[in-house]
């Protein structure tokens, strides 16, 4: 189970003020439970972990097995909420060098549809040229340009290389039950498909087939992931007292910090495998809270790497930031620092120590230095990088985000702002139906 420690924020804000949120948090929890708050048509994620059935997981695992047996590579096509959750879990659980190993235990997982880079897509299609590959096409709307464009390329290549019949077997769609081009294509072509529930928004969808299918294809245990999330659903439940509810404390603390001028939250890890968990978290909080001209700006760093780049700013830059550190208690493997006769690097004082002992001292030293430099610090400890812990961590952040958005007074479940660039892009590309916008935008250039 994860734990949250806010002690190192308390020189900057008072415990009293954090606990003063108790009634507001209770109201936010009730609004979530009773569906009486803003965005209440998007609350399907709230009890998702405890309501996923064994049959649904078995269906996902069976489909994953078909892809694992028939593919050397599987491309996950999706963007934003239709991609980041899967990548966060897969990268956190994978061997960092798996894709370079000759003997692979399953298909290589690749990503597309999350950018419009011509070179990226060219290089991907080149890499796939001699590979038996499959595609998971993930799009709730079924019309997202980045994903649709990548899927158009990949579908053709898969059919050309593997034949229509095999393509049918190794292309899977995860999309809306009824509407959108991805649904129509899946039905017309006879692809296996999974449904993204109407009441689950993209950034809250990691525990739907959006995240679960790619994670299962990558060979990870989705039952354990869901079990970890279900345990956290209980631990953050509405009847858990405020002081014992990590989601409540996290939401209250960050809102109190924000009120006290801390406008930027930096999510920190000391484990490179957590990089994409931070990417997922940034979308979750950025899209949920950044509206009505308010909201904490979610940023992230990978330490100790970024201590050698961003460390200076964090230590001595403008004091509008606070940090939330995700600390992993136990490593998966063991590696000790060897002794060296010549000791030219002067590191013999570390000989015999585990690398993680050095890392943990970097973590503690950084925390103290940053607190001394005026940066409040919260710490989330997860027992290990495994499915249970990650499931718990993801749900914890989701629940806290729902509460936190309500504390801030915004609708945490919509994202009206992401349409603005799309409208301009379509106008610039003369998309049919955008004639007026095209004229208007051309006049501005
Ligand atoms: O959270 C969101 O709503 C977005 O990030 C979407 O997930 C993203 O734009 C992809 O949308 P879609 O799944 O409709 O292709």
């Amino acid at each position: 189970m994860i734990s949250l420690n806010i002690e190192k924020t308390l020189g900057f804000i008072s415990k009293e003020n954090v606990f003063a949120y108790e009634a507001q948090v209770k109201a936010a929890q009730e609004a979530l439970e009773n569906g009486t708050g803003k965005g209440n048509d998007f609350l399907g994620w709230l009890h998702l972990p405890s309501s996923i059935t064994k049959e649904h997981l078995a269906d996902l695992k069976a489909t994953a097995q078909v892809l694992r047996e028939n593919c050397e590579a599987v491309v996950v096509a999706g963007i934003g909420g239709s991609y980041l959750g899967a990548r966060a879990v897969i990268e956190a659980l994978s061997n960092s060098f798996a894709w370079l190993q000759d003997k692979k235990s399953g298909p290589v997982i690749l990503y597309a549809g999350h950018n419009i880079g011509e070179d990226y897509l060219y290089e991907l299609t080149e890499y796939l040229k001699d590979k038996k590959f499959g595609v998971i096409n993930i799009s709730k709307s079924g019309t997202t340009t980045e994903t649709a464009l990548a899927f158009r390329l990949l579908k053709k290549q898969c059919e050309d290389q593997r034949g229509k019949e095999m393509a049918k077997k190794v292309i899977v769609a995860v999309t809306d039950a009824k509407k959108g081009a991805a649904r129509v294509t899946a039905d017309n072509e006879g692809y296996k498909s999974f449904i993204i529930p109407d009441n689950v928004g993209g950034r809250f969808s990691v525990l739907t087939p959006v995240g679960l299918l790619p994670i299962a294809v990558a060979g990870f245990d989705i039952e354990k992931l869901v079990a970890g999330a279900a345990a956290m659903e209980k631990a953050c439940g509405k009847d858990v007292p405020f002081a014992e509810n990590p989601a409540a404390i996290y939401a209250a603390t960050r809102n109190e910090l924000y009120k006290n001028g801390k406008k930027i939250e930096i999510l920190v890890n000391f484990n490179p495998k957590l990089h994409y968990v931070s990417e997922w978290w940034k979308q979750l909080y950025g899209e949920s809270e950044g509206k009505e001209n308010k909201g904490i700006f979610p940023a992230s760093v990978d330490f100790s790497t970024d201590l050698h780049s961003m460390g200076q700013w964090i230590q001595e830059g403008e004091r509008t930031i606070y940090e939330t550190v995700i600390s992993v208690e136990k490593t998966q493997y063991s590696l000790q620092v060897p002794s060296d006769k010549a000791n030219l690097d002067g590191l013999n004082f570390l000989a015999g120590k585990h690398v993680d002992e050095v890392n943990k001292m970097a973590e503690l030293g950084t925390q103290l230095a940053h607190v001394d430099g005026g940066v409040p610090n919260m710490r989330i400890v997860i027992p290990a990088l495994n499915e249970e812990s990650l499931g718990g961590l993801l749900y914890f952040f989701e629940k806290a985000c729902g509460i936190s958005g309500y504390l801030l007074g915004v609708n945490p479940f919509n994202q009206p702002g992401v349409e603005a660039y799309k409208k301009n892009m379509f106008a610039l590309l003369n998309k049919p139906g955008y004639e007026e916008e095209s004229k208007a935008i051309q006049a501005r250039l």
Side-chain angles (χ1 to χ4, degrees):
M1 190 63 76
I2 74 166
S3 66
L4 170 73
N5 188 325
I6 64 160
E7 289 299 317
K8 294 268 184 294
T9 64
L10 298 181
F12 305 89
I13 52 174
S14 73
K15 200 168 184 171
E16 233 177 16
N17 283 353
V18 171
F19 275 69
Y21 281 85
E22 187 170 351
Q24 266 176 277
V25 166
K26 193 167 189 287
Q29 290 257 59
E30 271 164 15
L32 288 171
E33 288 295 334
N34 303 331
T36 50
K38 291 179 183 170
N40 55 6
D41 42 350
F42 283 99
L43 294 172
W45 56 274
L46 191 62
H47 294 300
L48 200 55
S50 58
S51 57
I52 294 175
T53 63
K54 279 209 156 39
E55 292 71 30
H56 182 52
L57 291 176
D59 191 12
L60 286 161
K61 286 200 299 194
T63 305
Q65 197 50 31
V66 172
L67 290 173
R68 284 178 67 78
E69 278 165 12
N70 291 285
C71 301
E72 296 164 293
V74 172
V75 186
V76 176
I79 193 167
S82 288
Y83 138 82
L84 284 165
R87 190 162 195 177
V89 174
I90 292 169
E91 304 251 336
L93 296 176
S94 294
N95 183 304
S96 310
F97 304 98
W99 55 287
L100 289 172
Q101 284 162 359
D102 292 335
K103 233 176 141 237
K104 297 192 172 59
S105 58
V108 178
I109 308 296
L110 302 164
Y111 302 91
H114 59 299
N115 63 49
I116 326 175
E118 183 159 349
D119 291 345
Y120 182 93
L121 287 168
Y122 176 85
E123 286 164 7
L124 175 67
T125 51
E126 278 297 298
Y127 172 81
L128 292 172
K129 254 183 185 158
D130 57 352
K131 305 282 185 307
K132 293 180 188 154
F133 79 92
V135 186
I136 309 176
N137 185 33
I138 309 177
S139 178
K140 188 172 185 205
S141 63
T143 55
T144 299
T145 310
E146 288 87 341
T147 306
L149 196 153
F151 183 66
R152 179 183 276 227
L153 288 164
L154 293 166
K155 175 178 184 287
K156 181 174 184 315
Q157 186 174 356
C158 189
E159 287 171 352
D160 289 350
Q161 272 175 225
R162 308 198 68 183
K164 266 250 176 204
E165 271 319 295
M166 182 50 94
K168 228 189 231 183
K169 207 169 167 178
V170 295
I171 297 179
V172 179
V174 181
T175 188
D176 186 85
K178 295 193 192 86
K179 58 180 193 304
R183 165 54 55 204
V184 177
T185 308
D187 291 347
N188 287 353
E189 300 285 352
Y191 300 151
K192 169 79 182 170
S193 67
F194 290 92
I195 292 167
I196 309 174
D198 277 345
N199 61 356
V200 181
R203 58 190 176 276
F204 288 86
S205 70
V206 58
L207 296 171
T208 72
V210 170
L212 296 179
L213 181 62
I215 293 166
V217 172
F220 300 115
D221 191 330
I222 53 175
E223 279 176 20
K224 287 187 179 160
L225 186 85
V226 171
M232 190 51 65
E233 182 187 326
K234 232 175 161 180
C236 300
K238 81 166 169 51
D239 296 326
V240 177
F242 179 81
E244 290 159 33
N245 184 333
I249 299 284
Y250 178 58
T253 307
R254 60 198 303 283
N255 275 274
E256 180 59 14
L257 286 164
Y258 183 57
K259 227 167 89 183
N260 283 272
K262 304 298 180 191
K263 307 284 188 194
I264 300 165
E265 176 171 4
I266 306 178
L267 193 70
V268 176
N269 69 68
F270 281 80
N271 187 323
K273 292 188 181 195
L274 285 171
H275 177 82
Y276 274 94
V277 168
S278 298
E279 296 303 311
W280 170 84
W281 171 88
K282 282 193 283 194
Q283 185 200 357
L284 181 65
Y285 281 82
E287 256 185 16
S288 298
E289 295 192 322
K291 48 197 71 159
E292 298 175 27
N293 297 326
K294 48 188 177 179
I296 296 165
F297 182 82
S300 66
V301 288
D302 301 322
F303 285 167
S304 66
T305 313
D306 293 335
L307 283 171
H308 298 256
S309 60
M310 294 301 291
Q312 171 61 36
W313 199 103
I314 295 172
Q315 189 69 45
E316 295 182 352
E318 195 179 357
R319 303 297 71 187
T320 46
I321 56 172
Y322 66 96
E323 290 178 310
T324 301
V325 180
I326 303 179
S327 180
V328 183
E329 208 165 356
K330 268 207 187 98
T331 58
Q332 193 179 352
Y333 304 108
S334 157
L335 186 66
Q336 282 160 287
V337 180
S339 176
D340 185 87
K341 228 176 171 180
N343 194 28
L344 293 177
D345 54 13
L347 288 186
N348 271 355
F349 74 102
L350 297 176
K353 283 198 192 300
H354 284 269
V355 173
D356 196 52
E357 281 180 77
V358 182
N359 201 27
K360 288 286 190 303
M361 290 308 110
E363 187 180 317
L364 183 58
T366 304
Q367 185 190 43
L368 296 172
H370 289 180
V371 170
D372 288 347
V375 182
N377 192 293
M378 274 192 268
R379 198 156 171 266
I380 296 165
V381 180
I382 63 172
L385 276 189
N386 57 31
E387 285 91 336
E388 285 98 337
S389 292
L390 285 168
L393 183 70
L394 298 177
Y395 186 85
F396 157 76
F397 277 134
E398 288 183 356
K399 184 68 190 278
C401 185
I403 298 172
S404 186
Y406 279 170
L407 293 182
L408 189 66
V410 298
N411 175 355
F413 307 115
N414 66 2
Q415 53 287 324
V418 300
E419 295 309 313
Y421 96 91
K422 291 184 195 170
K423 207 176 104 208
N424 286 348
M425 176 175 78
F426 293 147
L428 289 164
L429 289 167
N430 298 313
K431 184 174 175 169
Y434 283 77
E435 291 74 14
E436 284 309 308
E437 288 87 346
S438 291
K439 262 192 241 156
I441 206 161
Q442 287 304 334
R444 284 175 59 190
L445 300 179

